[in-house]
Amino acid sequence: MSITQGTSVRGTWVGPLMATVVTLPAALVAYIIGGLSPMACDACDGAEAERFTRRFDTAFTFLQVGLLASVALLLVSWGLPRTEENVTRRRLFAALAPGTVVLSVILFAGIVPWPN
């Protein structure tokens, strides 16, 4: 049985579903931890607190943009047509979504100046 171009392919929902199951909880945990991380500098004062606040604001913006990008990748992986020519694209976008969450968390942790 051969598949012609434009024909719907069965099972193309598996990649986006697995990515969704991994990405959405990971993004929620990352957002909560990122939102609670200013408490790490509760004892900071003066210049150290100002430095932490400036860097945290930048880092949290990067985290939010990265998490939104991961959701956008999920939406693209779900939204592509279920045709043979899009199978690889759907899998690629599905795989990039959780990777974007991980990259966003690493970037966030690298920017924030954690107090000693």
Side-chain angles (χ1 to χ4, degrees):
M1 178 172 159
S2 78
I3 299 175
T4 60
Q5 254 184 338
T7 303
S8 181
V9 178
R10 297 179 62 147
T12 57
W13 53 270
V14 175
L17 178 64
M18 289 174 39
T20 302
V21 167
V22 171
T23 302
L24 292 182
L28 179 64
V29 169
Y31 187 76
I32 289 171
I33 290 173
L36 293 175
S37 63
M39 290 190 297
C41 197
D42 278 347
C44 300
D45 60 346
E48 185 180 14
E50 179 62 32
R51 180 174 161 257
F52 180 86
T53 301
R54 276 188 281 115
R55 300 273 309 263
F56 172 79
D57 290 343
T58 302
F60 197 65
T61 301
F62 276 112
L63 180 67
Q64 289 173 328
V65 168
L67 296 180
L68 285 174
S70 67
V71 171
L73 288 167
L74 280 178
L75 291 174
V76 169
S77 72
W78 280 108
L80 284 172
R82 294 181 177 144
T83 58
E84 183 179 0
E85 56 269 3
N86 287 325
V87 170
T88 304
R89 287 185 198 107
R90 286 175 65 97
R91 289 180 183 158
L92 176 67
F93 284 117
L96 287 174
T100 304
V101 172
V102 171
L103 183 64
S104 299
V105 169
I106 291 171
L107 183 65
F108 174 78
I111 294 174
V112 172
W114 300 103
N116 297 330

